[in-house]
Amino acid sequence: MIFDYVVIGAGFAGSVIAERIANTLNKKVLIIEKRNHIGGNCFDYYDKNGILVHKYGPHIFHTQMKHVWNYISQFTEWYTYTHYVLGYIDNKYVPIPFNLNTLEQLLPKEKADYLKEKLIQNFSENVKIPILELRKTDDKDLQVLADFIYQKVFLNYTRKQWGMEPEELDSSVTARVPVYISRDNRYFQDKYQGMPKNGYTNLFERMLSNKNIEIMLETDFKDIIKINYDKKKIYFNKNEFKGKLIYTGEIDAFFEYKFGKLPYRSLKFNFETKNKDYFQEVGTINYPNDYKFTRITEFKHLTGQKNVKTTIIKEYPQKYNKDKDIPYYPIPQRENLELYEKYRKEAENYKNVFFVGRLAEYQYYNMDIVIDKSLQIFKEKIANE
Ligand code: FAD
Ligand code: UDP
């Protein structure tokens, strides 16, 4: 079979583009995926107790983008779910992101009231402030508060998660979980949030159900596709490939690491099933200062599933070794982004190859951003030509 479109990777980036090619262009498309399943890091399955779990860590869907929500809603109904996170701090379970309720729960009332007023005066209500910004305040009392939050919420969590100090990372990393001058305890404030009613894998199956889509699992693309880096040509089954290639794996791997390896952070997951209805009060509890894991998530909270047992997942951050680990997180630091930039420039020489997604763009993207980018690339670069 000859394909005009070949997609590497069956995560959101690859699946959105394959779905668009098959359903709107009515063209045949081949997806090559090295794992034994579709869905990329969003893959979920029923464990041996019949509980729906996320193999590669907990995934909660949330977005501000109506077009992304409408697009993805073609392939799933939703379980209405709002994500709440507590942090275990000073022997208490308190709301994360750190907000006015957290302040009251961790500090004596008089002090909390005083600092609350100061925060509102200095920044006004319903404002989100990244912790590294709050630490720059001129106000002496707020400096002490910022230091407290930094020490209790961010410092040790970030050391565990990334193996470095918060200041060593791009400020956007800790800004994902800002200090929130509000009583809103939700982890995300996005207008659209929820969980695919029958799980992510089912959503992907529905996305990829068109007969125009062929999927080859357990196949590394390098077994089938050869690249002549001097001539900048792609060969598919030994013939020059003149169609469009959409690549969603690590960009440094595509170029055989010619400029050096891009660093990633990995994780190990520990799943535990408990003989009880529920293990914890909310979906996720963060442990900034205790244990080697960063957080525990209980799937039944996320999915609303009923079962006499419950399964939890603990996340243990790890160094990344390219030969045996999964590259879960690109590491947002200036030198890494500079290295990525070299690959991005090199990629521009390949006019019929499109690099999309968290790994191919080396960006700390959430699912909704990946879907948005993929729709954009499809519209601008694939459907138009
Ligand atoms: P991936 O899902 O990684 O897909 C890439 C695919 O390419 C993989 O299946 C891979 O096997 C395949 N591939 C790579 N190389 C090759 C090769 N050589 N040959 C063949 N196939 C190859 N986002 C949210 O919005 N909400 C969340 O709650 C959330 N939680 C997360 C929790 C964790 C622990 C992690 C790590 C991420 C989380 N994310 C979350 C982010 C989300 O996982 C990503 O945005 C999304 O999965 C990226 O999709 P992708 O298609 O770019 O990449
Ligand atoms: N973070 C933290 N303490 C927390 C939660 C988050 O220090 O209780 C920091 C940490 O550096 C983390 C980053 O904020 O890596 C982003 O957190 P998020 O929950 O968005 O991470 P993800 O879900 O992507 O792993």
Side-chain angles (χ1 to χ4, degrees):
M1 171 93 72
I2 294 177
F3 292 91
D4 290 331
Y5 300 90
V6 176
V7 172
I8 315 299
F12 263 121
S15 298
V16 166
I17 292 185
E19 181 280 321
R20 291 286 84 187
I21 293 169
N23 286 330
T24 70
L25 303 184
N26 195 20
K27 292 279 169 62
K28 297 213 177 305
V29 48
L30 172 68
I31 304 182
I32 304 172
E33 166 57 60
K34 68 178 174 189
R35 297 181 186 173
N36 63 1
H37 59 72
I38 57 173
N41 284 343
C42 304
F43 175 75
D44 55 14
Y45 66 98
Y46 289 88
D47 69 10
K48 66 177 190 314
N49 295 293
I51 298 167
L52 184 62
V53 301
H54 299 179
K55 181 164 180 177
Y56 306 100
H59 281 72
I60 297 107
F61 197 88
H62 58 100
T63 189
Q64 312 261 31
M65 292 180 277
K66 188 167 193 257
H67 72 280
V68 168
W69 180 257
N70 287 345
Y71 168 75
I72 211 68
S73 298
Q74 297 176 78
F75 312 106
T76 186
E77 291 75 47
W78 295 96
Y79 170 66
T80 306
Y81 171 70
T82 307
H83 194 46
Y84 289 96
V85 175
L86 297 174
Y88 182 64
I89 292 167
D90 289 350
N91 299 313
K92 293 180 183 153
Y93 293 96
V94 296
I96 300 287
F98 192 102
N99 64 22
L100 298 179
N101 296 326
T102 322
L103 182 66
E104 285 176 1
Q105 288 175 34
L106 288 178
L107 296 177
K109 183 170 180 346
E110 220 169 283
K111 202 169 172 187
D113 286 346
Y114 175 72
L115 289 169
K116 198 173 69 192
E117 284 318 311
K118 273 217 149 169
L119 275 173
I120 294 170
Q121 267 170 23
N122 277 261
F123 299 98
S124 97
E125 226 158 326
N126 293 320
V127 165
K128 292 179 174 174
I129 312 149
I131 184 62
L132 298 180
E133 280 301 309
L134 188 61
R135 290 193 95 202
K136 292 182 192 150
T137 172
D138 293 331
D139 185 291
K140 290 276 173 292
D141 295 324
L142 292 184
Q143 271 174 17
V144 174
L145 174 65
D147 205 46
F148 174 81
I149 302 171
Y150 178 81
Q151 297 287 338
K152 299 282 180 184
V153 180
F154 289 94
L155 183 59
N156 295 321
Y157 189 110
T158 304
R159 283 178 175 163
K160 268 197 270 189
Q161 173 70 10
W162 299 95
M164 56 183 90
E165 309 291 293
E167 298 73 20
E168 291 179 78
L169 289 154
D170 190 278
S171 59
S172 59
V173 174
T174 42
R176 286 168 63 92
V177 188
V179 174
Y180 193 18
I181 308 180
S182 157
R183 293 199 179 276
D184 182 348
N185 285 344
R186 295 173 303 165
Y187 201 61
F188 307 115
Q189 275 69 43
D190 295 335
K191 176 161 180 198
Y192 306 100
Q193 25 189 319
M195 297 294 290
K197 203 167 197 164
N198 299 306
Y200 287 96
T201 301
N202 178 269
L203 183 161
F204 280 91
E205 282 164 0
R206 285 172 65 179
M207 276 180 101
L208 302 176
S209 63
N210 190 312
K211 285 199 176 64
N212 285 332
I213 302 176
E214 184 167 319
I215 306 172
M216 282 175 88
L217 296 176
E218 295 182 84
T219 310
D220 194 303
F221 86 99
K222 291 215 162 153
D223 296 342
I224 294 182
I225 287 176
K226 302 289 170 212
I227 306 165
N228 183 322
Y229 295 101
D230 296 327
K231 295 188 177 149
K232 320 241 179 291
K233 285 187 175 165
I234 309 285
Y235 295 86
F236 181 80
N237 279 344
K238 300 203 173 118
N239 300 314
E240 189 179 343
F241 179 65
K242 297 271 178 66
K244 290 186 174 166
L245 183 69
I246 293 91
Y247 179 77
T248 75
E250 298 101 285
I251 190 165
D252 55 348
F254 185 91
F255 292 109
E256 295 191 328
Y257 313 98
K258 69 181 277 188
F259 300 121
K261 286 183 199 137
L262 282 164
Y264 295 91
R265 190 74 173 157
S266 198
L267 292 169
K268 290 274 181 287
F269 299 113
N270 198 8
F271 291 84
E272 293 171 24
T273 299
K274 308 284 180 190
N275 258 323
K276 49 164 82 170
D277 203 12
Y278 280 100
F279 174 79
Q280 63 190 29
E281 204 183 312
V282 292
T284 298
I285 298 185
N286 286 1
Y287 292 86
N289 308 310
D290 302 87
Y291 308 110
K292 287 197 167 148
F293 51 82
T294 49
R295 56 188 177 190
I296 300 181
T297 297
E298 183 170 16
F299 291 106
K300 277 170 64 184
H301 282 293
L302 275 49
T303 58
Q305 204 187 346
K306 302 279 174 249
N307 193 300
V308 288
K309 296 185 183 182
T310 190
T311 302
I312 61 167
I313 180 171
K314 295 177 179 164
E315 296 175 51
Y316 294 84
Q318 308 280 328
K319 278 197 177 132
Y320 168 69
N321 174 332
K322 90 170 175 55
D323 297 320
K324 57 181 178 71
D325 299 321
I326 294 176
Y328 286 111
Y329 292 86
I331 304 180
Q333 284 183 302
R334 195 187 319 134
E335 58 271 35
N336 304 344
L337 300 176
E338 282 169 5
L339 179 55
Y340 161 69
E341 199 48 31
K342 288 189 188 171
Y343 284 112
R344 196 189 62 74
K345 286 221 173 81
E346 184 67 14
E348 282 178 355
N349 295 319
Y350 293 74
K351 296 296 172 214
N352 62 343
V353 186
F354 304 96
F355 294 79
V356 198
R358 178 148 154 150
L359 299 169
E361 296 180 70
Y362 197 70
Q363 294 287 333
Y364 191 170
Y365 285 155
N366 286 337
M367 293 181 275
D368 64 327
I369 307 286
V370 170
I371 294 168
D372 181 46
K373 295 267 169 195
S374 307
L375 289 172
Q376 218 172 301
I377 297 264
F378 172 76
K379 203 164 138 196
E380 289 168 9
K381 306 268 172 67
I382 298 172
N384 261 350
E385 287 171 32

